[in-house]
Amino acid sequence: MDRNPSPPCSDAEEEEGDAVGNTVYSKHWLFSVLTRLIEVIAPAEPDPGASPEGARTELDEEMENDICKVWDMSMDEDVALFLQEFNAPDIFMGVFAKSKCPRLTEICVGILGNMACFQDICMSISKDENLGQVLLQRLCDSDSPTLLETSRLLLTCLSQPEVANVWVERIRENPSVYDCVCFIMSSSTNVELLVKVGEVVDKLFDLDEELMLNWIKSGTCRSVGPSVDDSPEELPDFKIVPCILEAAKQVRSDNPEGLDVYMHILQLLTTVDEGIQAIVQAPDGGKETWSLLYELVSQELCQPDDPPIIVQEQKTVLASILSVLSAMFASQTEQEYTRMRKNMPLIGSLIRILQYMEGCGKRAVDNSKESEQEETGRTDVNEEDFHLKILKDICCELLSNMLQELTKENTLEGLHQGHLNEQTCSCAFQNLLPLYSASVESFLEVLREADQTLADNLEKRFPSLKVHTQECT
C-alpha cells in the first residue's frame, strides 16, 4: 500500500456545494472518514479484533488507506481550514488519549503537522494548552514514525515567529522534553528522525538562550522515558553534549545536512561560557568532542583530492566545526589532545581550507563580472562571499592560535610530513597578516630554527616581516 494514496475527488453527481473550498475534494467524504475515526477510538460495540485491553493496535486496510488520503489532502489550505472547522484537532486529541495503534497516532500527528503550515491554524493549535501538552508527550513515544512526525510538527511551529515563544515557554516548563530528546539523540539509529530532532534542538537554542542554558545544566536521574507498556521507565542521567555527539556519529556518513545541524548545535553551545565548560569538563575532558571534530576536518571534509569548490558546499559545517575547535583550543591548551605533535594534520587542513577559499574567491570574481547586469546573480555571490568570510575569520583565528604553540620539534615534524612548506606557509601568512602579525612573527622565529632557508624566503615574500624583525633586533 502507498504511504499517501491519491486523494479522492468529489463526484460530479454529488450535490452542489460538496467541494471543500476551491478544491475538488468532497466534504461528505471527509465527514465520513472523520466520523469513522471517532468510532475507531470510541466504538459503540466491542471489536472482535481488539486487543485484550479493548483498543485496536492495528488499523484495517480501508481505514488506513482513507486516513492517509486525508493526510495527503491536509497539505491544501482549504482542506486544512475545513478540518479545523470540523474540530479535527479535538478528534486527534481523543486518538492520542485512547488509541493503542502507533500507525494511527503517526498519521494524526502528521495531519496536524500539515495543518500547522498555515499561520492561522498554527496559532490556533499552538494556543490550545491541552493539545500542546499532549503533543509534547508524543516525544516520549516509543514509535519512531510518530516521533518523526511530532518533531516535524514542533519544528513547523517553532519556525512561525507568531507562536514560537509559546512553544519555547511550554518546552521550558516541561523537563521531560529534555529527557526524551536526549534519549532519542543518544539511542536512535533512525537517521531521518535524528536529523529532525536535531533541527528542533538547533531552532530552540537559536531562539532562546535561557532554554539552552537550562539544558546545558540539566540531567536528572529519575526521568520518565519511552516505554512500550506505558509503565514509567527510568532514564540515565543525560548530559547534552554526549547525546549530541552520539547523534552526530550516527548521521555523519549518511546525511551531510544532519551533520551540519549537529555541528551548529555544538557551535551554539560555545556562545556561552557554560556551554564551553560543558564540552571541556566532560569526564574525558572534551577528548571525544575534539577527536570527532578533528577526524571530520582532517580526514573527511575538504580533502586534498577534492576540487577547491568543495569549500563552498561545506562552508557552513566547516565554520561550525572550526568554531568549536577554536573555543576548545583556547580553553584547553593544557590538555593532551591539543598538543601540537598530534595536531599538525589539523594545521595542514586549515591551510588547505584557506587555499581552496582563495580559488573560490577568484571564481566568484569571474562570475560576478559575467553576471554584472544580473541582480540575482550579484546577490548570490555576495551571500556566498559573506559565508566564506565567516569561515575565513574562524579558520584564521584557530590557525594563528595553533601556530603560536608550535615548537621547533613540531615544526620539523610538520615540514617532514609536508604540512608546512613554502607554498602552505605563504598562504597562511597571506591570510593571517596583518591582523595576526604577532602569531606570524612568533612562528617565523621558530621556523628559522627549523629551516633557515625557508624562513629567509618567506621574509623576502613578506617584506613587512623582515622590516619588523630588523627593528626588533
Side-chain angles (χ1 to χ4, degrees):
M1 182 191 304
D2 293 335
R3 179 179 179 83
N4 290 329
S6 299
C9 296
S10 179
D11 291 336
E13 298 179 358
E14 293 281 355
E15 62 181 85
E16 187 176 350
D18 182 58
V20 177
N22 293 320
T23 73
V24 293
Y25 305 138
S26 166
K27 288 182 182 178
H28 177 77
W29 183 86
L30 271 171
F31 274 128
S32 68
V33 174
L34 292 174
T35 300
R36 285 160 54 207
L37 179 58
I38 295 172
E39 293 172 353
V40 166
I41 59 175
E45 296 181 5
D47 188 335
S51 65
E53 291 79 11
R56 296 187 191 181
T57 58
E58 299 290 339
L59 279 175
D60 63 66
E61 185 173 341
E62 181 182 1
M63 185 62 196
E64 180 172 356
N65 188 45
D66 286 346
I67 197 67
C68 277
K69 290 178 182 178
V70 176
W71 189 359
D72 195 56
M73 293 165 63
S74 63
M75 291 186 290
D76 185 288
E77 185 172 9
D78 284 336
V79 174
L81 288 169
F82 177 82
L83 292 172
Q84 176 78 358
E85 292 171 4
F86 194 72
N87 295 321
D90 289 340
I91 297 174
F92 299 152
M93 281 268 285
V95 171
F96 303 148
K98 299 179 181 179
S99 175
K100 299 285 185 179
C101 177
R103 177 64 170 152
L104 180 58
T105 302
E106 173 205 355
I107 296 170
C108 291
V109 177
I111 295 172
L112 277 176
N114 284 348
M115 294 171 64
C117 292
F118 306 104
Q119 182 176 333
D120 290 344
I121 300 176
C122 186
M123 292 181 67
S124 176
I125 291 173
S126 301
K127 291 179 180 179
D128 187 329
E129 186 62 29
N130 290 332
L131 180 57
Q133 295 294 337
V134 169
L135 288 173
L136 290 184
Q137 290 172 10
R138 292 299 96 209
L139 286 173
C140 292
D141 206 293
S142 59
D143 181 60
S144 290
T146 298
L147 290 171
L148 177 60
E149 294 307 320
T150 303
S151 300
R152 283 178 172 156
L153 171 57
L154 289 177
L155 186 62
T156 298
C157 294
L158 289 168
S159 300
Q160 298 261 9
E162 297 80 9
V163 299
N165 288 339
V166 173
W167 286 98
V168 169
E169 183 64 27
R170 188 174 286 147
I171 291 170
R172 193 190 298 139
E173 293 175 353
N174 282 269
S176 64
V177 173
Y178 168 86
D179 295 312
C180 293
V181 166
C182 283
F183 182 81
I184 294 169
M185 291 193 297
S186 63
S187 63
S188 178
T189 57
N190 185 319
V191 171
E192 189 178 7
L193 171 58
L194 288 172
V195 172
K196 195 58 61 178
V197 167
E199 289 175 346
V200 171
V201 174
D202 188 44
K203 190 69 175 178
L204 283 170
F205 286 4
D206 195 39
L207 286 170
D208 193 79
E209 185 176 294
E210 181 184 345
L211 183 143
M212 181 173 72
L213 288 169
N214 289 343
W215 282 25
I216 290 170
K217 300 171 185 176
S218 287
T220 55
C221 300
R222 301 184 58 79
S223 305
V224 176
S227 178
V228 177
D229 59 2
D230 283 344
S231 60
E233 179 178 311
E234 189 173 300
L235 294 181
D237 186 13
F238 286 123
K239 297 296 182 184
I240 191 69
V241 173
C243 296
I244 294 170
L245 292 179
E246 189 60 38
K249 292 174 186 176
Q250 286 289 334
V251 305
R252 66 188 286 188
S253 300
D254 299 325
N255 196 298
E257 292 78 13
L259 180 64
D260 198 344
V261 168
Y262 279 98
M263 293 302 101
H264 190 253
I265 295 173
L266 283 176
Q267 182 183 7
L268 287 174
L269 292 182
T270 64
T271 61
V272 294
D273 290 339
E274 293 87 345
I276 297 175
Q277 295 307 309
I279 293 172
V280 300
Q281 291 184 356
D284 62 357
K287 182 178 179 180
E288 185 178 0
T289 303
W290 182 274
S291 297
L292 174 62
L293 304 189
Y294 175 91
E295 287 178 12
L296 289 170
V297 176
S298 301
Q299 301 173 22
E300 296 186 22
L301 300 173
C302 202
Q303 294 301 293
D305 55 349
D306 289 329
I309 194 65
I310 195 70
V311 77
Q312 276 283 12
E313 299 175 15
Q314 299 174 351
K315 57 183 177 290
T316 56
V317 67
L318 282 170
S320 295
I321 292 172
L322 297 185
S323 181
V324 178
L325 286 172
S326 185
M328 294 183 69
F329 188 83
S331 61
Q332 289 293 91
T333 52
E334 75 281 0
Q335 286 288 344
E336 177 64 24
Y337 60 76
T338 62
R339 301 300 186 204
M340 287 302 100
R341 62 185 175 82
K342 293 186 175 183
N343 288 299
M344 285 309 305
L346 179 55
I347 289 179
S349 296
L350 295 175
I351 296 174
R352 182 167 59 252
I353 290 169
L354 292 173
Q355 289 175 318
Y356 284 8
M357 289 174 66
E358 289 178 352
C360 286
K362 293 176 183 177
R363 178 180 175 131
V365 170
D366 293 340
N367 289 341
S368 181
K369 290 178 180 178
E370 293 175 4
S371 60
E372 188 173 350
Q373 303 302 322
E374 300 178 14
E375 187 67 30
T376 303
R378 289 202 302 272
T379 301
D380 291 343
V381 170
N382 290 337
E383 184 177 351
E384 288 179 358
D385 287 347
F386 174 74
H387 289 295
L388 285 175
K389 183 181 184 304
I390 292 175
L391 175 58
K392 178 182 176 180
D393 290 345
I394 297 170
C395 188
C396 286
E397 180 182 5
L398 177 56
L399 180 59
S400 68
N401 287 336
M402 297 189 81
L403 289 180
Q404 279 191 309
E405 297 295 324
L406 287 178
T407 63
K408 176 183 176 181
E409 291 71 23
N410 303 147
T411 304
L412 285 169
E413 186 176 2
L415 292 167
H416 176 71
Q417 294 173 350
H419 301 302
L420 298 178
N421 53 46
E422 187 167 344
Q423 182 184 17
T424 59
C425 289
S426 295
C427 176
F429 287 13
Q430 183 70 40
N431 285 278
L432 293 177
L433 293 172
L435 185 60
Y436 297 102
S437 57
S439 296
V440 173
E441 290 160 8
S442 171
F443 168 64
L444 191 59
E445 289 302 314
V446 174
L447 181 61
R448 186 174 285 108
E449 298 178 24
D451 190 326
Q452 179 70 49
T453 302
L454 177 55
D456 290 342
N457 290 343
L458 288 169
E459 281 190 334
K460 291 176 183 178
R461 296 188 65 168
F462 297 90
S464 62
L465 289 174
K466 187 174 183 180
V467 171
H468 187 78
T469 302
Q470 290 175 343
E471 290 176 351
C472 292
T473 55

